[in-house]
Structure formats: structure tokens, C-alpha cells
């Protein structure tokens, strides 16, 4: 046998496009060299089944003699490739796509084999629910619901909840996060109504691939029987065994009648209300008065005393640590005395 050089040859016989997302165009160049003195026509045998996904440009290529030509390979994967009829080229379980085809040159018998490789993925995010009912929520209070997101892509995806109403708080990071490949993330939604009415609204989650996901939400705000002037109290710096006071007001307001068309099932109730504060045993706080009865329209001043102390178990632990340190110092002194003798 005698080997001969090919007049027309490929600079590379394979191309790996790595991870490709369905619905987007990916392209790279394929360089063909012609060592002959005359020009050569180039054609391919890409399967008809893949003709809508793979394009070689220009379609009618001509390589001039003693020259080279850069062809553009365009790959446009779509969700259609996940169909069973494409199993010969695409493994939907691991996302591996491979197609082998040939370049043909008129005047050269031997074809030029070429292989295209890629890992295909979908830019999809799923939610564990698309309907959220916050139920009934009293004014000056919040109802929290969670939403689980799953990134089904092999690539990270940036998402964000856009144009959320003021009475919705989204965490973490105000609903703007990056989901890693195959990651599941829990989103916390806090509903804090600002008016007594029935709420029906939608939350829009947008991805960097310009996909929108709609979460429909409902909730009902009602007037609470009792109202606090503050739901958060911050004390100044207070030393141990010292104390600090803060005042709040609790009231039993008169509830105006509301049209049943706005809030169905919410009936105004004007009557006396009983209140009582429950304080955990480990919290150094005293509330005066800690219980009482308020008539309709009545208001009561409540004083909160904060007196920090060191818990008994911490004092015992500190005493043990100091005792151990003294024992170590005594042992060290004894060793130094013996070595001096």
C-alpha cells in the first residue's frame, strides 16, 4: 500500500461546544485547507432529522486552490431534541449530544469525518406551588409562607422577584439570588397588609434567560382586637444588675363598619378585650401591667423593664474555669521550685 496526502483536509476533526442551553444559538468555525491548485466544492451529509438544529454556512462552499476557508457551524438546540425520536443522537438522561457527519470534496474520494459534541440542558426552574393563600392576617402582623425553587439546569441561573408589592417581603436578598446547578432553594414570603381588605395579587419571578414565572397569591386583612403602638422595642446599652425602661401603649380601638363587598366574613366587633403578656423564664424583662381589660376605645400604657443578669450556670462555669487556672499555676510553681533545688 502507498499513502498519499489529501488535497483537502480539516484543521480539526471534532468540536466540543460544552454545555448548551435549549433555545439559544451556538456557533464556532471549522477551517478547511486546500493544497490543490484548483478550487474544490464542499458539501456535507448532516442527517435530515437534524437539519433544523445544525447549519453549515455558507451552504455552497468553495475552497480556492492553495487556500483555506472558514465555515461557520451553527447549533440551535431546542426542547424538541428531548423527544424519543432523537435518542440516536441525544441521551436525555445525562444530556450528552453527539453527531458524526462527513465533509465531501468533489474530486477527492475520501470524505472528511467530523464529530460534534455538546451537553444539552434546559433553562427551567420549577416551584413546589404556584398558588399561595396567606389566609387571614391581622393588621400590624405578618403571615409567612415558603416557596421552594429548583434549578433543573446544568448551569447557574440568576433569578429575581420583580415589582413585588410593598406589603410583601421576600428573603433572602429581597428575592434576588443565584441558583447553582440542580440546586433547591427555599424562599420566604412575608405578607404584612397595610389596609383592611381582600388581597389578590401576583408575584413575578424572572430569570436571566428572560423567562417569567407567575405565583398567584391571596390573603385577607382584618382589624385585630387589640393594637400595640410598637411591635419592636430596642433598649439602650444596659450594664449587668442595672435596668432600663421603655414604654408602649396597648389599645382597644373602635372598629368602623366595613363594606362586606370589600372584606367578606369580617364583622365589626366592639367589646371589652382581655390582654396578657407571656414572658419566657430566661428573659430578664418585667412588664407592668402584664394583664388587664380594656373597654372599647380605651388605651393603656405598658412599661417594660430590662434588667440583665448573668445566669447562675454561667457564674458556676466561670468559677470552675478560674479554679482550673489557679490549679495550673500552683502546679507550675511547684515544678519551678523543684527545678531550682
Amino acid at each position: 500500500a502507498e499513502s498519499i496526502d489529501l488535497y483537502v483536509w480539516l484543521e480539526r476533526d471534532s468540536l466540543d461546544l460544552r454545555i448548551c442551553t435549549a433555545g439559544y444559538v451556538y456557533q464556532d468555525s471549522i477551517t478547511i485547507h486546500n493544497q490543490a491548485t484548483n478550487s474544490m466544492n464542499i458539501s456535507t451529509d448532516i442527517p435530515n432529522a437534524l437539519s433544523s438544529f445544525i447549519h453549515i454556512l455558507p451552504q455552497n462552499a468553495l475552497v480556492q486552490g492553495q487556500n483555506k476557508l472558514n465555515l461557520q457551524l451553527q447549533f440551535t438546540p431546542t426542547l424538541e431534541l428531548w423527544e424519543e425520536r432523537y435518542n440516536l443522537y441525544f441521551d436525555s438522561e445525562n444530556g450528552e449530544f453527539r453527531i458524526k457527519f462527513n465533509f465531501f470534496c468533489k474530486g477527492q474520494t475520501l470524505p472528511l469525518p467530523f464529530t460534534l459534541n455538546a451537553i444539552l440542558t434546559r433553562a427551567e426552574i420549577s416551584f413546589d406551588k404556584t398558588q399561595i393563600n396567606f389566609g387571614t392576617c391581622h393588621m400590624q402582623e405578618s403571615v409567612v409562607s415558603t416557596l421552594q425553587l429548583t434549578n433543573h439546569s446544568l448551569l447557574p441561573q440568576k433569578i429575581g422577584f420583580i415589582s413585588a408589592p410593598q406589603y410583601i417581603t421576600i428573603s433572602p436578598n429581597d428575592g434576588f439570588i443565584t441558583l447553582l446547578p440542580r440546586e433547591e432553594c427555599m424562599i420566604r414570603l412575608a405578607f404584612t397588609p397595610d389596609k383592611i381588605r381582600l388581597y389578590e395579587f401576583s408575584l413575578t419571578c424572572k430569570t436571566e434567560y428572560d423567562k417569567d414565572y407567575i405565583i398567584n397569591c391571596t390573603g385577607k386583612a382584618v382589624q385585630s382586637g387589640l393594637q400595640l403602638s410598637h411591635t419592636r422595642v430596642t433598649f439602650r446599652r444596659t450594664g449587668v444588675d442595672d435596668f432600663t425602661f421603655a414604654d408602649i401603649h396597648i389599645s382597644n380601638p373602635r372598629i368602623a363598619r366595613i363594606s362586606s363587598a370589600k372584606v367578606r366574613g369580617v364583622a365589626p366587633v366592639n367589646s371589652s378585650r382581655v390582654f396578657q403578656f407571656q414572658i419566657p423564664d430566661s428573659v430578664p424583662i418585667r412588664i407592668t401591667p402584664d394583664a388587664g381589660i380594656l373597654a372599647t376605645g380605651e388605651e393603656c400604657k405598658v412599661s417594660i423593664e430590662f434588667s440583665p443578669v448573668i445566669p447562675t450556670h454561667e457564674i458556676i462555669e466561670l468559677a470552675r474555669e478560674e479554679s482550673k487556672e489557679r490549679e495550673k499555676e500552683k502546679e507550675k510553681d511547684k515544678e519551678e521550685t523543684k527545678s531550682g533545688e
Side-chain angles (χ1 to χ4, degrees), residues 215-264:
I215 309 297
N216 296 314
C217 306
T218 58
K220 183 169 62 176
V222 298
Q223 180 67 58
S224 57
L226 297 175
Q227 292 185 0
L228 294 173
S229 60
H230 298 83
T231 58
R232 182 185 182 92
V233 176
T234 302
F235 294 96
R236 62 175 176 82
R237 292 183 179 182
T238 308
V240 177
D241 295 329
D242 198 357
F243 58 87
T244 302
F245 283 97
D247 295 331
I248 63 172
H249 291 81
I250 183 171
S251 60
N252 181 15
R254 296 182 183 275
I255 302 176
R257 290 193 172 273
I258 304 169
S259 172
S260 59
K262 294 183 179 179
V263 184
R264 296 179 181 178

Short mmCIF file of all heavy atoms in Angstrom, two decimals, residues 215-264:
data_model
loop_
_atom_site.label_atom_id
_atom_site.label_comp_id
_atom_site.label_asym_id
_atom_site.label_seq_id
_atom_site.Cartn_x
_atom_site.Cartn_y
_atom_site.Cartn_z
N ILE A 215 -46.58 33.57 40.30
CA ILE A 215 -47.10 32.97 41.53
C ILE A 215 -48.32 33.79 41.95
O ILE A 215 -48.19 34.98 42.28
CB ILE A 215 -46.06 32.97 42.66
CG1 ILE A 215 -44.74 32.35 42.18
CG2 ILE A 215 -46.59 32.22 43.88
CD1 ILE A 215 -44.85 30.91 41.78
N ASN A 216 -49.50 33.19 41.92
CA ASN A 216 -50.73 33.89 42.31
C ASN A 216 -50.94 33.78 43.82
O ASN A 216 -50.83 32.69 44.39
CB ASN A 216 -51.93 33.30 41.57
CG ASN A 216 -51.82 33.51 40.06
OD1 ASN A 216 -51.50 34.61 39.61
ND2 ASN A 216 -52.06 32.46 39.29
N CYS A 217 -51.23 34.92 44.45
CA CYS A 217 -51.35 34.97 45.91
C CYS A 217 -52.68 35.60 46.33
O CYS A 217 -53.21 36.48 45.64
CB CYS A 217 -50.20 35.77 46.52
SG CYS A 217 -48.56 35.22 46.04
N THR A 218 -53.19 35.15 47.45
CA THR A 218 -54.38 35.74 48.05
C THR A 218 -54.16 35.86 49.55
O THR A 218 -53.37 35.14 50.16
CB THR A 218 -55.63 34.88 47.79
OG1 THR A 218 -55.41 33.55 48.31
CG2 THR A 218 -55.93 34.77 46.30
N GLY A 219 -54.88 36.78 50.16
CA GLY A 219 -54.82 36.98 51.60
C GLY A 219 -55.91 37.94 52.03
O GLY A 219 -56.43 38.72 51.22
N LYS A 220 -56.25 37.89 53.29
CA LYS A 220 -57.31 38.75 53.81
C LYS A 220 -56.82 39.44 55.07
O LYS A 220 -56.33 38.80 56.00
CB LYS A 220 -58.56 37.93 54.09
CG LYS A 220 -59.74 38.77 54.57
CD LYS A 220 -61.03 37.95 54.57
CE LYS A 220 -60.98 36.78 55.51
NZ LYS A 220 -62.27 36.06 55.55
N ALA A 221 -56.93 40.76 55.09
CA ALA A 221 -56.51 41.55 56.25
C ALA A 221 -57.72 41.93 57.08
O ALA A 221 -58.74 42.38 56.54
CB ALA A 221 -55.77 42.81 55.79
N VAL A 222 -57.63 41.74 58.37
CA VAL A 222 -58.71 42.09 59.29
C VAL A 222 -58.14 42.93 60.42
O VAL A 222 -56.94 42.90 60.70
CB VAL A 222 -59.40 40.83 59.86
CG1 VAL A 222 -60.05 40.02 58.76
CG2 VAL A 222 -58.41 39.97 60.64
N GLN A 223 -59.01 43.67 61.05
CA GLN A 223 -58.60 44.51 62.16
C GLN A 223 -58.43 43.65 63.41
O GLN A 223 -59.31 42.87 63.78
CB GLN A 223 -59.64 45.60 62.43
CG GLN A 223 -59.30 46.53 63.58
CD GLN A 223 -58.09 47.38 63.27
OE1 GLN A 223 -58.09 48.11 62.30
NE2 GLN A 223 -57.06 47.29 64.09
N SER A 224 -57.30 43.76 64.05
CA SER A 224 -57.07 43.00 65.27
C SER A 224 -57.85 43.64 66.41
O SER A 224 -58.12 44.84 66.42
CB SER A 224 -55.58 42.96 65.62
OG SER A 224 -55.07 44.27 65.75
N GLY A 225 -58.19 42.82 67.40
CA GLY A 225 -58.95 43.32 68.54
C GLY A 225 -58.17 44.34 69.34
O GLY A 225 -58.70 45.38 69.75
N LEU A 226 -56.88 44.07 69.55
CA LEU A 226 -56.01 44.96 70.31
C LEU A 226 -54.88 45.42 69.41
O LEU A 226 -54.44 44.70 68.53
CB LEU A 226 -55.44 44.26 71.53
CG LEU A 226 -56.46 43.81 72.60
CD1 LEU A 226 -55.76 43.03 73.70
CD2 LEU A 226 -57.20 45.01 73.19
N GLN A 227 -54.40 46.63 69.67
CA GLN A 227 -53.30 47.18 68.88
C GLN A 227 -52.19 47.65 69.80
O GLN A 227 -52.44 48.18 70.88
CB GLN A 227 -53.78 48.36 68.02
CG GLN A 227 -54.74 47.98 66.92
CD GLN A 227 -55.09 49.16 66.03
OE1 GLN A 227 -54.62 50.28 66.24
NE2 GLN A 227 -55.93 48.91 65.03
N LEU A 228 -50.95 47.41 69.33
CA LEU A 228 -49.77 47.87 70.06
C LEU A 228 -49.18 49.07 69.33
O LEU A 228 -49.13 49.10 68.09
CB LEU A 228 -48.72 46.77 70.15
CG LEU A 228 -49.08 45.53 70.99
CD1 LEU A 228 -48.00 44.47 70.84
CD2 LEU A 228 -49.23 45.91 72.46
N SER A 229 -48.72 50.04 70.08
CA SER A 229 -48.09 51.21 69.46
C SER A 229 -46.77 50.84 68.80
O SER A 229 -46.37 51.46 67.81
CB SER A 229 -47.86 52.31 70.50
OG SER A 229 -47.01 51.83 71.55
N HIS A 230 -46.08 49.82 69.36
CA HIS A 230 -44.82 49.34 68.79
C HIS A 230 -44.79 47.82 68.90
O HIS A 230 -45.23 47.25 69.91
CB HIS A 230 -43.60 49.92 69.55
CG HIS A 230 -43.49 51.40 69.49
ND1 HIS A 230 -44.20 52.24 70.34
CD2 HIS A 230 -42.79 52.21 68.66
CE1 HIS A 230 -43.92 53.49 70.06
NE2 HIS A 230 -43.06 53.51 69.04
N THR A 231 -44.29 47.19 67.87
CA THR A 231 -44.11 45.74 67.91
C THR A 231 -42.64 45.37 68.07
O THR A 231 -42.30 44.19 68.09
CB THR A 231 -44.65 45.10 66.61
OG1 THR A 231 -43.97 45.67 65.49
CG2 THR A 231 -46.15 45.31 66.49
N ARG A 232 -41.79 46.36 68.18
CA ARG A 232 -40.36 46.13 68.39
C ARG A 232 -39.83 47.20 69.34
O ARG A 232 -40.05 48.39 69.14
CB ARG A 232 -39.59 46.17 67.07
CG ARG A 232 -38.10 45.89 67.19
CD ARG A 232 -37.43 46.08 65.83
NE ARG A 232 -36.00 45.78 65.90
CZ ARG A 232 -35.47 44.61 65.64
NH1 ARG A 232 -36.25 43.61 65.29
NH2 ARG A 232 -34.17 44.41 65.71
N VAL A 233 -39.12 46.76 70.37
CA VAL A 233 -38.54 47.68 71.36
C VAL A 233 -37.04 47.44 71.42
O VAL A 233 -36.59 46.30 71.55
CB VAL A 233 -39.16 47.46 72.76
CG1 VAL A 233 -38.48 48.34 73.79
CG2 VAL A 233 -40.66 47.75 72.73
N THR A 234 -36.27 48.52 71.30
CA THR A 234 -34.81 48.44 71.39
C THR A 234 -34.35 49.20 72.63
O THR A 234 -34.58 50.42 72.74
CB THR A 234 -34.14 49.03 70.14
OG1 THR A 234 -34.61 48.33 68.98
CG2 THR A 234 -32.63 48.90 70.21
N PHE A 235 -33.71 48.51 73.56
CA PHE A 235 -33.22 49.14 74.78
C PHE A 235 -31.82 49.70 74.54
O PHE A 235 -31.05 49.21 73.71
CB PHE A 235 -33.18 48.13 75.92
CG PHE A 235 -34.53 47.64 76.37
CD1 PHE A 235 -35.04 46.45 75.88
CD2 PHE A 235 -35.30 48.37 77.26
CE1 PHE A 235 -36.28 45.99 76.28
CE2 PHE A 235 -36.55 47.93 77.66
CZ PHE A 235 -37.04 46.74 77.16
N ARG A 236 -31.48 50.74 75.30
CA ARG A 236 -30.12 51.26 75.25
C ARG A 236 -29.18 50.28 75.93
O ARG A 236 -29.62 49.32 76.57
CB ARG A 236 -30.05 52.62 75.93
CG ARG A 236 -30.40 52.61 77.41
CD ARG A 236 -30.18 53.98 78.04
NE ARG A 236 -30.59 54.01 79.44
CZ ARG A 236 -29.84 53.58 80.45
NH1 ARG A 236 -28.63 53.07 80.22
NH2 ARG A 236 -30.29 53.65 81.70
N ARG A 237 -27.87 50.50 75.79
CA ARG A 237 -26.91 49.62 76.43
C ARG A 237 -27.11 49.64 77.94
O ARG A 237 -27.15 50.71 78.56
CB ARG A 237 -25.49 50.05 76.09
CG ARG A 237 -25.13 49.85 74.62
CD ARG A 237 -23.69 50.23 74.36
NE ARG A 237 -23.34 50.01 72.97
CZ ARG A 237 -22.14 50.23 72.46
NH1 ARG A 237 -21.16 50.69 73.26
NH2 ARG A 237 -21.89 50.01 71.18
N THR A 238 -27.21 48.45 78.51
CA THR A 238 -27.52 48.33 79.94
C THR A 238 -26.52 47.39 80.59
O THR A 238 -26.30 46.28 80.10
CB THR A 238 -28.95 47.80 80.14
OG1 THR A 238 -29.86 48.60 79.38
CG2 THR A 238 -29.34 47.85 81.61
N GLY A 239 -25.93 47.83 81.69
CA GLY A 239 -24.97 47.01 82.40
C GLY A 239 -25.65 45.93 83.23
O GLY A 239 -26.85 45.99 83.51
N VAL A 240 -24.87 44.93 83.64
CA VAL A 240 -25.39 43.85 84.47
C VAL A 240 -25.86 44.43 85.80
O VAL A 240 -25.19 45.29 86.40
CB VAL A 240 -24.33 42.77 84.68
CG1 VAL A 240 -24.83 41.68 85.61
CG2 VAL A 240 -23.91 42.18 83.34
N ASP A 241 -27.02 43.97 86.26
CA ASP A 241 -27.65 44.41 87.52
C ASP A 241 -28.14 45.86 87.45
O ASP A 241 -28.56 46.42 88.47
CB ASP A 241 -26.70 44.23 88.71
CG ASP A 241 -26.38 42.77 88.97
OD1 ASP A 241 -27.25 41.93 88.69
OD2 ASP A 241 -25.27 42.47 89.44
N ASP A 242 -28.08 46.48 86.28
CA ASP A 242 -28.69 47.78 86.07
C ASP A 242 -30.04 47.56 85.41
O ASP A 242 -30.44 46.41 85.14
CB ASP A 242 -27.78 48.64 85.21
CG ASP A 242 -28.13 50.13 85.31
OD1 ASP A 242 -29.10 50.45 86.01
OD2 ASP A 242 -27.42 50.94 84.69
N PHE A 243 -30.77 48.63 85.13
CA PHE A 243 -32.07 48.44 84.47
C PHE A 243 -32.37 49.61 83.55
O PHE A 243 -31.84 50.71 83.70
CB PHE A 243 -33.19 48.29 85.51
CG PHE A 243 -33.31 49.45 86.46
CD1 PHE A 243 -34.08 50.56 86.14
CD2 PHE A 243 -32.64 49.44 87.68
CE1 PHE A 243 -34.18 51.62 87.01
CE2 PHE A 243 -32.74 50.51 88.55
CZ PHE A 243 -33.51 51.60 88.22
N THR A 244 -33.24 49.34 82.57
CA THR A 244 -33.67 50.33 81.57
C THR A 244 -35.17 50.16 81.35
O THR A 244 -35.68 49.03 81.35
CB THR A 244 -32.93 50.12 80.24
OG1 THR A 244 -31.54 50.23 80.47
CG2 THR A 244 -33.32 51.18 79.24
N PHE A 245 -35.85 51.29 81.15
CA PHE A 245 -37.29 51.26 80.93
C PHE A 245 -37.62 51.67 79.49
O PHE A 245 -36.93 52.47 78.87
CB PHE A 245 -38.02 52.20 81.90
CG PHE A 245 -38.14 51.66 83.29
CD1 PHE A 245 -37.23 52.04 84.28
CD2 PHE A 245 -39.14 50.76 83.62
CE1 PHE A 245 -37.34 51.55 85.56
CE2 PHE A 245 -39.24 50.25 84.91
CZ PHE A 245 -38.34 50.66 85.89
N ALA A 246 -38.70 51.12 78.98
CA ALA A 246 -39.28 51.53 77.71
C ALA A 246 -40.79 51.42 77.82
O ALA A 246 -41.31 50.53 78.51
CB ALA A 246 -38.77 50.67 76.56
N ASP A 247 -41.49 52.34 77.18
CA ASP A 247 -42.96 52.37 77.27
C ASP A 247 -43.59 52.11 75.90
O ASP A 247 -43.10 52.59 74.88
CB ASP A 247 -43.44 53.73 77.80
CG ASP A 247 -43.00 53.99 79.23
OD1 ASP A 247 -42.83 53.00 79.98
OD2 ASP A 247 -42.80 55.17 79.59
N ILE A 248 -44.66 51.36 75.93
CA ILE A 248 -45.50 51.17 74.76
C ILE A 248 -46.95 51.37 75.18
O ILE A 248 -47.25 51.48 76.38
CB ILE A 248 -45.33 49.77 74.12
CG1 ILE A 248 -45.78 48.68 75.11
CG2 ILE A 248 -43.89 49.55 73.68
CD1 ILE A 248 -45.81 47.29 74.49
N HIS A 249 -47.84 51.44 74.21
CA HIS A 249 -49.27 51.59 74.51
C HIS A 249 -50.05 50.47 73.83
O HIS A 249 -49.76 50.12 72.69
CB HIS A 249 -49.78 52.95 74.04
CG HIS A 249 -49.25 54.11 74.83
ND1 HIS A 249 -47.99 54.65 74.59
CD2 HIS A 249 -49.77 54.82 75.87
CE1 HIS A 249 -47.78 55.64 75.43
NE2 HIS A 249 -48.84 55.77 76.22
N ILE A 250 -51.02 49.95 74.55
CA ILE A 250 -51.92 48.95 74.00
C ILE A 250 -53.32 49.52 74.05
O ILE A 250 -53.72 50.15 75.03
CB ILE A 250 -51.81 47.62 74.80
CG1 ILE A 250 -52.71 46.55 74.17
CG2 ILE A 250 -52.13 47.81 76.26
CD1 ILE A 250 -52.49 45.17 74.76
N SER A 251 -54.05 49.34 72.94
CA SER A 251 -55.36 49.96 72.84
C SER A 251 -56.37 49.00 72.26
O SER A 251 -56.03 48.04 71.57
CB SER A 251 -55.29 51.22 71.97
OG SER A 251 -54.85 50.90 70.66
N ASN A 252 -57.64 49.27 72.56
CA ASN A 252 -58.77 48.52 72.02
C ASN A 252 -59.61 49.49 71.19
O ASN A 252 -60.55 50.10 71.69
CB ASN A 252 -59.59 47.91 73.16
CG ASN A 252 -60.77 47.09 72.65
OD1 ASN A 252 -60.82 46.74 71.48
ND2 ASN A 252 -61.72 46.80 73.53
N PRO A 253 -59.24 49.66 69.90
CA PRO A 253 -59.90 50.72 69.11
C PRO A 253 -61.33 50.36 68.73
O PRO A 253 -61.71 49.18 68.71
CB PRO A 253 -59.01 50.81 67.87
CG PRO A 253 -58.45 49.43 67.73
CD PRO A 253 -58.25 48.91 69.13
N ARG A 254 -62.07 51.40 68.44
CA ARG A 254 -63.41 51.18 67.90
C ARG A 254 -63.26 50.76 66.44
O ARG A 254 -62.52 51.38 65.69
CB ARG A 254 -64.25 52.46 67.99
CG ARG A 254 -64.51 52.90 69.42
CD ARG A 254 -65.39 54.15 69.43
NE ARG A 254 -65.58 54.61 70.78
CZ ARG A 254 -66.53 54.15 71.61
NH1 ARG A 254 -67.36 53.20 71.17
NH2 ARG A 254 -66.66 54.62 72.84
N ILE A 255 -63.93 49.72 66.04
CA ILE A 255 -63.83 49.18 64.68
C ILE A 255 -64.98 49.72 63.86
O ILE A 255 -66.16 49.47 64.18
CB ILE A 255 -63.83 47.64 64.69
CG1 ILE A 255 -62.68 47.12 65.55
CG2 ILE A 255 -63.74 47.09 63.28
CD1 ILE A 255 -62.66 45.62 65.69
N ALA A 256 -64.63 50.46 62.83
CA ALA A 256 -65.67 51.01 61.94
C ALA A 256 -66.24 49.90 61.07
O ALA A 256 -65.57 48.91 60.76
CB ALA A 256 -65.08 52.12 61.06
N ARG A 257 -67.47 50.10 60.67
CA ARG A 257 -68.11 49.12 59.80
C ARG A 257 -67.49 49.17 58.41
O ARG A 257 -67.24 50.23 57.86
CB ARG A 257 -69.62 49.36 59.72
CG ARG A 257 -70.34 49.04 61.03
CD ARG A 257 -71.83 48.98 60.82
NE ARG A 257 -72.47 48.48 62.03
CZ ARG A 257 -72.66 47.20 62.30
NH1 ARG A 257 -72.22 46.29 61.43
NH2 ARG A 257 -73.24 46.82 63.40
N ILE A 258 -67.24 47.99 57.84
CA ILE A 258 -66.61 47.87 56.53
C ILE A 258 -67.57 47.18 55.58
O ILE A 258 -68.27 46.24 55.96
CB ILE A 258 -65.30 47.07 56.64
CG1 ILE A 258 -64.38 47.72 57.67
CG2 ILE A 258 -64.60 46.95 55.32
CD1 ILE A 258 -63.20 46.87 58.03
N SER A 259 -67.61 47.64 54.38
CA SER A 259 -68.48 47.04 53.38
C SER A 259 -68.15 45.57 53.21
O SER A 259 -66.98 45.20 53.04
CB SER A 259 -68.32 47.77 52.04
OG SER A 259 -69.02 47.09 51.03
N SER A 260 -69.15 44.73 53.25
CA SER A 260 -68.92 43.29 53.10
C SER A 260 -68.42 42.96 51.71
O SER A 260 -67.88 41.89 51.47
CB SER A 260 -70.23 42.52 53.37
OG SER A 260 -71.24 42.95 52.46
N ALA A 261 -68.60 43.89 50.76
CA ALA A 261 -68.09 43.64 49.41
C ALA A 261 -66.57 43.70 49.39
O ALA A 261 -65.93 43.09 48.56
CB ALA A 261 -68.67 44.67 48.44
N LYS A 262 -65.98 44.48 50.32
CA LYS A 262 -64.53 44.59 50.38
C LYS A 262 -63.92 43.43 51.14
O LYS A 262 -62.94 42.84 50.71
CB LYS A 262 -64.13 45.91 51.03
CG LYS A 262 -64.52 47.13 50.21
CD LYS A 262 -64.02 48.40 50.90
CE LYS A 262 -64.39 49.65 50.08
NZ LYS A 262 -63.92 50.88 50.76
N VAL A 263 -64.45 43.14 52.31
CA VAL A 263 -63.91 42.05 53.12
C VAL A 263 -65.06 41.18 53.59
O VAL A 263 -65.78 41.54 54.51
CB VAL A 263 -63.12 42.59 54.35
CG1 VAL A 263 -62.50 41.43 55.10
CG2 VAL A 263 -62.07 43.58 53.91
N ARG A 264 -65.29 40.10 52.95
CA ARG A 264 -66.40 39.23 53.29
C ARG A 264 -66.08 38.43 54.54
O ARG A 264 -64.97 37.95 54.74
CB ARG A 264 -66.68 38.29 52.13
CG ARG A 264 -67.14 39.02 50.87
CD ARG A 264 -67.39 38.06 49.73
NE ARG A 264 -67.81 38.78 48.53
CZ ARG A 264 -68.04 38.21 47.38
NH1 ARG A 264 -67.91 36.89 47.25
NH2 ARG A 264 -68.42 38.94 46.34
#
